[in-house]
Amino acid sequence: MPELTDMQYIRTLAKRHNFSFSKGLGQNFLIDPEVCPAIAEYGIPSRECGVLEIGTGFGVLTQQLALKSECVTAVELDRRLQPVLAETLAGFDHVHVVWQDIMKVDLPGFLQEHFGGRDVAVCANLPYYITSPILMHLLESDAKFRCITVMVQKEAAERLCAEIGSRKAGAVTAAVQLRGSAEQLFEVPRDSFYPAPKVDSAVIRITPYETPLCTPEQLHRVLRIVRAGFAQRRKTAANALASGLGLTREQVTDALTACGQDVNVRFEQLGRETLLQLAEQL
Ligand code: SAM
């Protein structure tokens, strides 16, 4: 198996394939030999569980996922990586790479096509420019995942694992906690990547609740509210939701009162249960 954490090998590989790292695509590849095995260990519950990887890069994490799961499908946007992966993933016949933008993938159909009825876990070192949209895409879809284990910027990890109703929380925090529980597993310093980014990172795991808190339809409704509310988080919830959802202020204050909230409450102060109640009222 090619040593994808060996800097000399990485440089030779990049040179041989005339590959230049794209900042725009968030191409900071892992070079710490301990990190990818740890992600695979935390992220894959069993050999039978399929793995969806987002963003292969040169395949350093893909290789480790392939050692732990009998069925790995990765989605990668940058087709320049095709000849590189042909080399680094040679012999891994149970790994399949789909050349697509993950944001354009219809996830339930994709899981059916590539994994049949298998359980599927997501494992990825996410491109940082698009971390929140990708997580929203995963959480908002009707696709069911065993767990989602991803590397994100350290600040993003803190936000994702924050309590809803706290200052650090954002729309994606709410999306995470409406679907499951989030935990930070370990931190990864910036020099674990090549090229090194300007910030440190952390690996988090989201485990969906066994019994969902709400139906997919309710979730879509709550997330519309959450997006509108966090878009103007410093305003009162009444003003933010009225302008964001195109409602009258009175409609929103009536709903807030019915949920036992003060009409001057700020959106960022609302907890998870209130958000669920509010989605029923509005
Ligand atoms: N997994 C590799 C590693 O850990 O070294 C690469 C991780 S790198 C941070 C992110 C990868 O995501 C890059 O290979 C990049 O080309 C890919 N990528 C960026 N945007 C993408 C998108 N919208 N859909 C799929 N892959 C994307």
Side-chain angles (χ1 to χ4, degrees):
M1 195 164 83
E3 266 308 330
L4 284 169
T5 51
D6 173 351
M7 269 315 301
Q8 201 174 341
Y9 178 69
I10 293 172
R11 285 206 189 93
T12 313
L13 193 63
K15 198 165 172 203
R16 192 149 29 86
H17 292 283
N18 203 15
F19 182 86
S20 53
F21 294 83
S22 161
K23 230 180 177 174
L25 287 178
Q27 290 180 342
N28 304 99
F29 297 169
L30 273 161
I31 51 166
D32 180 330
E34 289 180 9
V35 175
C36 293
I39 295 176
E41 183 68 35
Y42 278 113
I44 307 178
S46 68
R47 286 198 72 71
E48 295 73 40
C49 184
V51 177
L52 168 62
E53 187 191 10
I54 299 163
T56 58
F58 283 180
V60 65
L61 176 58
T62 325
Q63 289 180 342
Q64 296 301 323
L65 301 175
L67 294 175
K68 286 231 144 229
S69 162
E70 58 190 37
C71 178
V72 177
T73 295
V75 176
E76 169 59 60
L77 179 59
D78 188 353
R79 275 187 181 270
R80 296 177 307 145
L81 290 163
Q82 210 158 5
V84 180
L85 291 182
E87 184 175 329
T88 59
L89 297 180
F92 288 107
D93 297 336
H94 58 301
V95 176
H96 184 54
V97 181
V98 178
W99 301 95
Q100 214 175 332
D101 178 345
I102 188 66
M103 296 303 294
K104 299 202 174 128
V105 170
D106 162 51
L107 289 164
F110 187 92
L111 294 198
Q112 190 51 42
E113 184 185 342
H114 292 277
F115 298 99
R118 264 181 213 273
D119 278 359
V120 178
V122 175
C123 291
N125 169 16
L126 288 179
Y128 292 164
Y129 77 101
I130 197 178
T131 299
S132 293
I134 291 178
L135 285 174
M136 284 303 253
H137 185 50
L138 296 174
L139 295 164
E140 215 169 344
S141 90
D142 295 339
K144 285 204 180 77
F145 297 108
R146 271 293 289 275
C147 54
I148 299 173
T149 307
V150 285
M151 171 99 66
V152 297
Q153 280 189 18
K154 209 172 126 197
E155 289 69 24
E158 283 166 11
R159 199 167 53 248
L160 289 163
C161 299
E163 282 302 309
I164 308 184
S166 72
R167 290 208 82 123
K168 277 194 177 156
V172 71
T173 318
V176 167
Q177 288 174 34
L178 287 160
R179 288 291 307 259
S181 53
E183 60 191 319
Q184 182 170 316
L185 299 173
F186 55 92
E187 292 186 6
V188 181
R190 62 195 77 184
D191 60 8
S192 299
F193 301 85
Y194 181 80
K198 290 199 174 75
V199 289
D200 296 320
S201 297
V203 175
I204 64 155
R205 180 169 58 190
I206 302 164
T207 309
Y209 302 124
E210 264 179 40
T211 314
L213 287 183
C214 52
T215 64
E217 293 72 37
Q218 284 169 322
L219 182 73
H220 294 313
R221 252 184 289 147
V222 186
L223 291 180
R224 265 193 70 211
I225 292 176
V226 161
R227 280 205 176 86
F230 278 110
Q232 304 179 69
R233 56 187 298 157
R234 302 277 173 244
K235 283 193 178 176
T236 61
N239 287 342
L241 293 181
S243 79
L245 298 174
L247 301 169
T248 64
R249 195 171 183 283
E250 193 184 5
Q251 281 173 309
V252 185
T253 50
D254 284 352
L256 284 168
T257 309
C259 299
Q261 295 296 318
D262 188 287
V263 295
N264 293 317
V265 68
R266 283 202 314 278
F267 190 81
E268 63 181 11
Q269 294 173 297
L270 301 178
R272 191 178 65 186
E273 300 311 319
T274 310
L275 293 176
L276 286 165
Q277 284 174 15
L278 208 49
E280 293 306 304
Q281 296 289 334
L282 284 173

